[in-house]
Amino acid sequence: MQSRRNTIQRKMIADAVCQLNHPNAEQVYAKVVRQNPNVSKATVYRNLHLLVQEGMISTVQADTGSERFDYKTHKHYHLRCRICGEVFDANLPVFSNLEEQVKNNDGFKIEDHTIEFIGVCNKCKNEIGG
């Protein structure tokens, strides 16, 4: 019965990632535990990383130090609010050959790239009067 329970919990965790906007693990845990108080924090963390390994969700390495999770697994760029730390998807096509355009004389082999735009979200902009 343990595998069925893990499957149900994993689905709840994946659903929480889909419903939240680039959540961190604590935000996913808070949402899941409201639905099922028996789910432990360790279960949420373990399953988040299993979902990443399985390619069901992806991670967003925000500069805030808190790993974020994303239900979009395809390559895309992000916007991050420097005030509240929220992460949003950028409406920008992916530069598919950017790695090839970067010239490097040190023998560095580029494997991937991420782009994060930093600014102020509408909510924070309205709160600070900007």
Side-chain angles (χ1 to χ4, degrees):
M1 190 66 176
Q2 184 71 14
S3 64
R4 178 165 164 71
R5 178 178 171 161
N6 283 341
T7 302
I8 292 169
Q9 290 173 341
R10 192 169 302 157
K11 178 166 178 12
M12 287 175 52
I13 293 163
D15 289 346
V17 171
C18 289
Q19 294 164 7
L20 298 167
N21 182 39
H22 299 90
N24 61 31
E26 288 293 323
Q27 292 167 322
V28 173
Y29 172 71
K31 181 156 183 68
V32 169
V33 81
R34 283 192 302 269
Q35 294 174 286
N36 184 347
N38 296 325
V39 176
S40 71
K41 195 177 281 193
T43 297
V44 171
Y45 277 73
R46 182 176 56 254
N47 279 286
L48 281 169
H49 291 285
L50 283 171
L51 288 165
V52 169
Q53 287 176 353
E54 294 170 356
M56 303 295 290
I57 63 174
S58 62
T59 57
V60 177
Q61 297 297 334
D63 195 32
T64 59
S66 176
E67 182 178 46
R68 302 295 191 112
F69 297 92
D70 196 345
Y71 70 93
K72 294 181 180 176
T73 57
H74 63 276
K75 183 92 169 149
H76 61 286
Y77 304 127
H78 294 98
L79 309 165
R80 180 176 48 89
C81 179
R82 66 174 172 78
I83 296 173
C84 69
E86 284 297 314
V87 178
F88 307 90
D89 292 331
N91 186 12
L92 177 71
V94 172
F95 301 110
S96 59
N97 64 345
L98 188 60
E99 290 97 351
E100 297 166 12
Q101 294 179 24
V102 175
K103 302 294 182 211
N104 184 309
N105 295 327
D106 297 323
F108 191 87
K109 182 178 184 272
I110 298 172
E111 298 173 342
D112 197 8
H113 73 274
T114 60
I115 295 178
E116 179 184 62
F117 298 93
I118 301 160
V120 180
C121 71
N122 280 334
K123 180 181 167 214
C124 291
K125 187 170 57 174
N126 290 335
E127 289 177 2
I128 62 173

